[in-house]
Amino acid sequence: MFMGEYQHSIDDKGRLIIPAKLRDSLGTTFILTRGLDQCLFVYPMNEWEALEQKLKALPMMKADARAFTRFFFSGASECEWDKQGRITIPSHLRGYAHLEKECMVIGVQNRVEIWSKDAWEQYVEKSESAFNEIAETLVDFNF
């Protein structure tokens, strides 16, 4: 399981350090793609393959299914680590997520997400006020 929040800088060549705690669970090769909320999703291969099977099961006669599948797969690229534990984020993905300098790398259960620092801070600020209501509508949790 991926968890935690880490701040790192992306360099001019699009290279970003992923923390060792997250890197170990991602494996030697993994998939980087467009995520929701204008962040990037990073999946270990086993999670990507499970997601791929779910997306294959979507009804291709429905325009929404085709659009989502196109969006998700067209942005995907297989990645590996360099010797410093960095990944190189392709320019089209940097543009999608507005990654310029300061980034947030967060663990979210079965994936890692990469956000611009500004977008992440705005998202957290907006979501914090609704956190209790969201929790109540999703599941009856006993914290």
Side-chain angles (χ1 to χ4, degrees):
M1 177 179 3
F2 297 100
M3 59 184 164
E5 180 179 305
Y6 310 88
Q7 183 176 335
H8 288 280
S9 296
I10 193 167
D11 70 15
D12 294 337
K13 296 179 182 178
R15 297 176 299 194
L16 177 69
I17 292 174
I18 302 294
K21 288 180 181 182
L22 302 176
R23 200 168 48 232
D24 293 342
S25 297
L26 283 169
T28 56
T29 60
F30 48 92
I31 302 296
L32 174 67
T33 192
R34 291 183 196 104
L36 304 174
D37 303 311
Q38 288 195 307
C39 71
L40 302 179
F41 287 173
V42 187
Y43 289 99
M45 292 307 279
N46 63 325
E47 289 291 339
W48 178 257
E49 290 164 2
L51 181 60
E52 186 178 14
Q53 292 305 312
K54 289 178 185 175
L55 293 175
K56 277 184 185 179
L58 291 175
M60 286 298 116
M61 297 306 289
K62 294 194 175 224
D64 287 347
R66 290 191 308 273
F68 184 78
T69 303
R70 283 183 194 121
F71 172 82
F72 210 62
F73 282 93
S74 67
S77 69
E78 190 171 317
C79 296
E80 294 179 344
W81 308 110
D82 70 8
K83 292 177 183 176
Q84 286 77 40
R86 299 175 299 190
I87 60 172
T88 299
I89 301 174
S91 62
H92 71 281
L93 293 178
R94 288 193 313 266
Y96 169 77
H98 307 288
L99 302 178
E100 294 175 8
K101 192 66 179 162
E102 296 301 314
C103 299
M104 298 302 296
V105 180
I106 63 170
V108 184
Q109 196 174 24
N110 68 335
R111 69 181 178 274
V112 171
E113 293 182 357
I114 301 171
W115 290 73
S116 78
K117 184 176 184 273
D118 290 341
W120 175 247
E121 289 173 350
Q122 290 171 15
Y123 179 82
V124 168
E125 184 177 320
K126 185 174 105 178
S127 299
E128 276 180 335
S129 62
F131 180 73
N132 291 335
E133 292 84 15
I134 292 168
E136 288 176 11
T137 61
L138 293 177
V139 181
D140 184 20
F141 284 111
N142 292 318
F143 287 104

